[in-house]
């Protein structure tokens, strides 16, 4: 029997799921369901490594699950659950932590950036180890993520190799799947920096659940340059290049073909076309989101966690046996 390759990925339930998350990773999560065995996780343990309000967090967790379901994550075809409800993630993270040199963690750029902003803590420091555990727990082959996760993926591969060298072949070596276009969608208000959920300026990001009027306004007021030609040049024209990437990733039309079409049309016409495409892309997601009931979603996630615990336990038993922690 042919066994399908396995895909794993995670999303932090930190509110504000934006077009960067969507085009960098989540759109691929949905399409991978057709040809891979897929495991998707709302990584709530990762999200609590930065300051948060528990009451808001509970709502954000369900909202994140709802957005993913509305996008087309199908619990009949994917394993889908909250990370905290499958304790094997944390257990494997501890084991992997014992073989992670602190020198490697000290080089993680995302840790340094976040620690500068919100203060360092042990969870934030070991965040990439828990991420490696997520991926290795299910022996994933492919991990769809945006460009900002490249370094974390390298570390997961490195840990898998270290483990296998020391304890025997237990883990697959996972590959990152990072799209060619739209792996790093930039802020609409400052196209030199990555679009990020934590940006205080709401105009910097289009949210998946934004109403059409908000999408229109945000894209039309996106910061561009004063030279009116539409061409792809991320250094000289980062704002326009970002909009070209967004349009290309939404439509599947190549950037070259879009440049041919809009080269001389002027920024007003081009921005309107981008806004129309994004509105069309997100409209069905918003409709599907509104139809989902929180209590039904909570039940679905509970069932997902039960299945995931059984699957994870089968893998984790092999890890325990390999390191000498067999249940006796
Ligand atoms: P953010 O930076 O917006 O706070 P994040 O990377 O911290 O998001 P997640 O919500 O877990 O946290 O990210 C979900 C996915 O979205 C990841 O695969 C990440 O690489 C991807 N992603 C995040 N921002 C962008 C972006 N600006 N462009 C493309 N992909 C992105
Ligand atoms: N660190 C990731 C979220 C994440 C993840 C994972 C992604 C946690 N565990 C496992 C892929 C696979 C981020 O996007 N910020």
């Amino acid at each position: 029997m042919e066994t399908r390759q396995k895909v794993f990925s995670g999303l932090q339930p930190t509110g504000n799921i934006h077009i960067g998350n969507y085009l960098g990773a989540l759109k691929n999560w949905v399409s991978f369901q057709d040809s891979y065995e897929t495991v998707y996780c709302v990584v709530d343990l990762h999200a609590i490594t930065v300051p948060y309000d528990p009451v808001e967090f509970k709502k954000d967790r369900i909202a994140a699950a709802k957005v993913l379901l509305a996008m087309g994550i199908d619990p009949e075809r994917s394993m889908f659950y909250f990370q905290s409800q499958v304790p094997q993630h944390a257990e494997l993270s501890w084991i992997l932590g014992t073989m992670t040199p602190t020198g490697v963690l000290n080089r993680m750029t995302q840790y340094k950036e976040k620690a500068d902003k919100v203060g360092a803590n042990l969870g934030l420091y070991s965040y990439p180890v828990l991420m490696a555990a997520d991926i290795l727990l299910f022996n994933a082959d492919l991990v769809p993520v945006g460009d900002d996760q490249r370094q974390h993926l390298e570390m997961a591969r490195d840990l898998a190799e270290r483990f296998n060298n020391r304890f025997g072949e237990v883990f697959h070596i996972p590959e990152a799947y990072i799209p060619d276009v739209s792996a790093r969608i930039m802020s609409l208000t400052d196209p030199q920096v990555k679009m990020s959920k934590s940006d205080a300026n709401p105009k910097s990001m289009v949210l998946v659940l934004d109403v059409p009027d908000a999408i229109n306004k945000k894209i039309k007021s996106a910061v561009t340059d004063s030279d009116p030609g539409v061409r792809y040049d991320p250094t000289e024209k980062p704002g326009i290049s970002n909009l070209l990437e967004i349009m290309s990733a939404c439509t599947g039309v190549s950037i070259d073909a879009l440049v041919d079409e809009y080269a001389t049309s002027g920024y007003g016409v081009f921005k309107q076309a981008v806004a129309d495409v994004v509105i069309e892309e997100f409209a069905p997601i918003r409709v599907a989101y509104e139809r989902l009931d929180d209590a039904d979603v909570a039940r679905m996630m509970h069932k997902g966690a039960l299945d995931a615990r059984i699957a994870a336990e089968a893998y984790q038993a092999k890890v325990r046996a390999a390191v000498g922690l067999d249940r006796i």
Side-chain angles (χ1 to χ4, degrees):
M1 197 184 75
E2 187 207 359
T3 48
R4 291 191 298 173
Q5 282 208 309
K6 189 170 286 178
V7 167
F8 181 95
S9 200
L11 169 82
Q12 297 186 83
T14 35
N16 291 340
I17 297 174
H18 56 66
I19 194 166
N21 302 132
Y22 177 76
L23 296 177
L26 305 178
K27 199 171 157 127
N28 288 325
W29 290 25
V30 176
S31 58
F32 279 155
Q33 294 179 120
D34 297 335
S35 29
Y36 293 91
E37 192 182 332
T38 40
V39 184
Y40 297 129
C41 187
V42 177
V43 288
D44 45 8
L45 295 176
H46 277 105
I48 62 169
T49 57
V50 295
Y52 71 101
D53 168 10
V55 177
E56 285 305 310
F57 186 64
K58 266 179 140 172
K59 293 185 206 151
D60 283 347
R61 229 166 58 133
I62 280 287
K66 277 169 76 176
V67 170
L68 290 170
L69 291 166
M71 270 176 198
I73 297 303
D74 175 1
E76 297 292 320
R77 293 194 291 159
S78 292
M79 206 171 270
F80 183 48
Y81 61 95
F82 292 124
Q83 182 189 36
S84 61
Q85 295 181 4
V86 178
Q88 288 85 353
H89 285 267
E91 183 190 353
L92 181 56
S93 176
W94 182 265
I95 293 172
L96 294 177
T98 64
M99 52 196 80
T100 308
T102 50
V104 172
L105 292 176
N106 291 339
R107 286 197 292 276
M108 293 292 128
T109 54
Q110 209 164 63
Y111 169 70
K112 286 187 236 173
E113 281 163 21
K114 286 194 186 176
D116 282 347
K117 274 194 207 147
V118 300
N121 66 63
L122 186 56
L124 196 57
Y125 188 56
S126 62
Y127 177 116
V129 183
L130 178 58
M131 178 163 163
D134 298 340
I135 296 166
L136 301 182
L137 181 60
F138 289 96
N139 251 336
D141 301 289
L142 208 58
V143 185
V145 281
D147 179 69
D148 60 336
Q149 297 302 311
R150 218 177 264 279
Q151 195 184 28
H152 290 163
L153 249 298
E154 271 309 311
M155 209 195 93
R157 287 166 60 85
D158 182 56
L159 279 176
E161 276 165 10
R162 268 173 210 273
F163 187 102
N164 288 351
N165 285 338
R166 185 162 160 204
F167 298 111
E169 292 294 313
V170 172
F171 295 129
H172 292 183
I173 309 301
E175 295 275 343
Y177 182 92
I178 298 174
D180 293 335
V181 173
S182 78
R184 192 174 179 80
I185 296 296
M186 308 308 274
S187 154
L188 297 179
T189 46
D190 177 1
Q192 306 291 347
V193 302
K194 183 181 94 92
M195 185 180 286
S196 172
K197 286 175 185 164
S198 55
D199 196 319
N201 185 351
K203 287 189 177 158
S204 69
M205 58 191 122
V206 168
L207 304 182
V208 172
L209 297 179
D210 271 343
V211 296
D213 188 45
I215 298 176
N216 219 3
K217 284 193 178 124
K218 287 177 184 179
I219 291 186
K220 282 198 175 146
S221 62
V223 169
T224 46
D225 54 88
S226 51
D227 155 46
V230 172
R231 59 196 159 76
Y232 187 73
D233 182 343
T235 311
E236 295 295 321
K237 299 172 80 69
I240 288 295
S241 302
N242 193 36
L243 294 179
L244 280 166
E245 292 207 23
I246 289 174
M247 192 164 185
S248 172
C250 285
T251 56
V253 177
S254 72
I255 289 185
D256 285 350
L258 293 175
V259 169
D260 281 349
E261 191 175 347
Y262 292 101
T264 57
S265 66
Y267 284 179
V269 170
F270 173 60
K271 282 179 163 177
Q272 187 61 62
V274 177
D276 290 345
V277 159
V278 174
I279 288 168
E280 198 181 314
E281 183 85 13
F282 287 166
I285 300 176
R286 219 180 56 257
V287 171
Y289 181 90
E290 295 304 335
R291 290 205 185 115
L292 287 164
D293 173 72
D294 285 11
D296 288 345
V297 172
R299 269 192 294 277
M300 215 181 280
M301 297 307 279
H302 182 72
K303 158 91 175 51
L306 289 178
D307 293 343
R309 279 208 286 270
I310 292 168
E313 182 52 27
Y315 289 112
Q316 185 60 9
K318 292 188 190 149
V319 173
R320 281 189 216 111
V323 301
L325 290 170
D326 327 43
R327 295 264 156 94
I328 42 176

